[in-house]
Amino acid sequence: MLYSPTFTPLLHGAAGILDELLLFGAPLVVAIIILAIASRRARQKAQPRERAPRGTTKPPKPPEA
């Protein structure tokens, strides 16, 4: 009879590292790509923030004893 993966799926580790990459690596890569695209779009739509100059705030004075 002709071998068909749909009727007899591969067992864990039967295809070497390929099944590990497909089951765990591929969803991770897809999630990272989705987060990168969402982050880039959010940065493009965000309003630019004004920067406060450094050194304008004075350090707090220590309490006097």
Side-chain angles (χ1 to χ4, degrees):
M1 185 168 171
L2 186 63
Y3 173 75
S4 175
T6 56
F7 297 128
T8 56
L10 293 172
L11 297 175
H12 177 73
I17 196 168
L18 180 62
D19 60 342
E20 302 292 334
L21 289 176
L22 291 175
L23 290 175
F24 301 106
L28 186 63
V29 169
V30 169
I32 290 173
I33 290 172
I34 290 172
L35 289 174
I37 292 172
S39 175
R40 181 177 294 164
R41 286 185 180 180
R43 275 190 265 123
Q44 287 176 351
K45 290 183 180 181
Q47 300 261 338
R49 295 183 290 172
E50 293 184 20
R51 294 187 177 190
R54 290 187 175 198
T56 57
T57 59
K58 295 180 181 177
K61 293 181 180 178
E64 297 179 14

